[in-house]
């Protein structure tokens, strides 16, 4: 069955995938970029092509989401982690295919700054994107609120864990332990921690470690700025990004007004 790693873009999904791939898919917990490929994005064109699905046909792709998941599960009975930035809609998955959801959320006032730089968009364009919601055959993000609220449906079945990006940065060990315990509970296995792998995972997925790794090796998920032709670093400021200093009052107020209920619920207001 599948454990979804769900989030709005630029909210810490890559950091979480790095930690999980280092712990579960390495011998010693030492992280390197190739490990992250063990956790694929869904939807992913390659998964659909194998079943002969026309990935240029959005309706056909969506209609086959669950069929593709069925094929993945039938092929392997082990737990599969999948990243997604899509909001949860009816056709996306099923209770039968979903073991659980780890949802990563980040203060939208910092999301907008990180997303703007990553996508090479103005703050105003990014604000519109976050409020109106966007989607296509590859990823249907919805708006920031819809993305967050939709995945909470799995809390009704005790299959939902909410993780704040801020805790992944400032309280890494306890937050990762919480995640590992959740995964073990879902799989109904005895909870134990490989202390050596755990320590190495924490050490080699520190944000500054990842930033330096990108500088020396590059990172396949980084983007090219279409105006300058230069690579936009994926690991930019992380927890050091400070909306108080970088965000205008006008944009801040618009975000806080639009997402007031969500931000209050999450303790961001």
């Amino acid at each position: 069955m599948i454990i979804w790693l769900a989030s709005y873009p630029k909210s810490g999904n890559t950091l979480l995938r790095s930690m999980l791939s280092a712990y579960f898919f390495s011998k010693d917990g030492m992280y390197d970029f190739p490990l992250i490929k063990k956790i694929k994005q869904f939807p992913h064109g390659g998964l659909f092509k194998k079943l002969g699905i026309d990935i240029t046909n959005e309706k056909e792709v969506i209609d086959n989401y669950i069929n593709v998941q069925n094929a993945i599960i039938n092929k392997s009975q082990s737990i599969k982690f999948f990243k997604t930035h899509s909001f949860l809609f009816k056709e996306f998955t099923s209770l039968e295919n979903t073991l659980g959801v780890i949802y990563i959320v980040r203060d939208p006032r910092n999301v907008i700054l990180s997303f703007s730089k990553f996508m090479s968009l103005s703050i105003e364009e990014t604000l519109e994107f976050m409020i109106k919601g966007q989607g296509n055959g590859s990823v249907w993000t919805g708006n920031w609120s819809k993305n967050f609220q939709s995945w909470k449906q799995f809390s009704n079945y005790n299959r939902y864990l909410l993780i704040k990006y801020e805790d992944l940065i400032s309280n890494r060990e306890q937050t990762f332990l919480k995640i590992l315990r959740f995964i073990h509970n879902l799989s109904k296995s005895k909870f134990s921690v490989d202390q050596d792998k755990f320590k190495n995972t924490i050490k080699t997925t520190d944000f500054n470690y990842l930033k330096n790794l990108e500088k020396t090796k590059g990172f396949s998920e980084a983007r090219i700025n279409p105006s300058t032709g230069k690579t936009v670093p994926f690991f930019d400021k992380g927890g050091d990004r400070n909306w108080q200093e970088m965000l205008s009052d006008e944009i801040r107020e618009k975000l806080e007004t639009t997402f007031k209920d969500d931000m209050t619920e999450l303790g961001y207001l």
Side-chain angles (χ1 to χ4, degrees):
M1 294 179 72
I2 297 169
I3 295 180
W4 297 104
L5 311 177
S7 71
Y8 196 80
K10 302 307 291 182
S11 297
N13 205 309
T14 299
L15 177 57
L16 177 58
R17 285 185 292 138
S18 299
M19 297 172 79
L20 290 174
S21 61
Y23 188 82
F24 285 108
F25 303 125
S26 75
K27 294 181 180 179
D28 52 10
M30 300 296 290
Y31 179 72
D32 201 357
F33 286 143
L35 284 171
I36 205 169
K37 296 178 181 178
K38 298 285 187 179
I39 302 179
K40 291 181 170 59
Q41 176 169 305
F42 190 93
H44 181 280
L47 301 173
F48 288 76
K49 286 181 179 179
K50 288 179 181 179
L51 294 184
I53 297 164
D54 181 4
I55 62 172
T56 65
N57 185 323
E58 290 186 356
K59 184 178 186 304
E60 186 174 344
V61 169
I62 292 173
D63 287 346
N64 281 281
Y65 274 13
I66 292 178
N67 289 334
V68 170
Q69 293 167 31
N70 289 339
I72 293 167
I73 292 169
N74 289 335
K75 185 176 180 180
S76 173
Q77 296 301 313
S78 62
I79 292 174
K80 294 289 184 182
F81 295 106
F82 275 102
K83 161 199 171 179
T84 188
H85 288 317
S86 289
F87 75 95
L88 180 62
F89 50 93
K90 182 181 178 181
E91 299 86 356
F92 188 86
T93 191
S94 65
L95 280 173
E96 291 74 24
N97 288 347
T98 298
L99 188 61
V101 176
I102 302 172
Y103 190 88
I104 313 100
V105 69
R106 185 183 189 183
D107 190 322
R109 294 167 295 193
N110 277 328
V111 169
I112 193 172
L113 291 168
S114 181
F115 202 19
S116 170
K117 182 167 185 180
F118 180 66
M119 296 296 292
S120 303
L121 297 173
S122 69
I123 289 291
E124 291 75 19
E125 289 172 323
T126 310
L127 177 67
E128 182 178 10
F129 187 102
M130 291 178 66
I131 291 176
K132 288 187 175 181
Q134 301 288 329
N136 54 46
S138 175
V139 181
W140 294 86
T141 61
N143 70 15
W144 182 84
S145 173
K146 189 171 189 176
N147 196 290
F148 162 57
Q149 292 291 343
S150 67
W151 285 97
K152 288 166 62 179
Q153 296 176 42
F154 281 100
S155 64
N156 297 326
Y157 309 97
N158 296 316
R159 303 188 196 180
Y160 176 84
L161 178 66
L162 177 67
I163 294 295
K164 285 186 174 181
Y165 171 81
E166 293 80 8
D167 291 333
L168 275 178
I169 294 293
S170 64
N171 192 17
R172 304 191 69 234
E173 294 188 20
Q174 289 303 313
T175 302
F176 194 47
L177 277 174
K178 182 191 294 186
I179 292 167
L180 294 179
R181 188 174 288 110
F182 175 72
I183 293 169
H184 279 277
N185 286 341
L186 288 175
S187 62
K188 297 180 180 179
S189 60
K190 183 179 179 181
F191 180 61
S192 62
V193 176
D194 184 319
Q195 292 297 331
D196 289 336
K197 289 184 75 174
F198 184 86
K199 289 177 183 177
N200 286 337
T201 295
I202 295 297
K203 179 179 71 174
T204 60
T205 58
D206 173 80
F207 187 84
N208 288 327
Y209 185 99
L210 295 174
K211 188 172 183 176
N212 288 331
L213 193 63
E214 181 179 17
K215 286 181 179 178
T216 57
K217 295 188 174 183
F219 184 47
S220 62
E221 296 183 25
R223 295 175 64 93
I224 302 295
N225 184 312
S227 299
T228 65
K230 295 182 179 180
T231 301
V232 180
F234 190 94
F235 299 98
D236 185 28
K237 293 184 179 297
D240 291 334
R241 193 173 295 284
N242 190 342
W243 61 265
Q244 292 96 330
E245 296 179 357
M246 302 178 67
L247 204 60
S248 71
D249 288 341
E250 180 183 0
I251 299 295
R252 174 188 58 79
E253 289 172 3
K254 184 68 173 178
L255 283 171
E256 291 175 353
T257 300
T258 305
F259 302 129
K260 180 180 179 181
D261 291 344
D262 308 281
M263 294 179 70
T264 300
E265 175 185 344
L266 290 163
Y268 292 134
L269 287 179

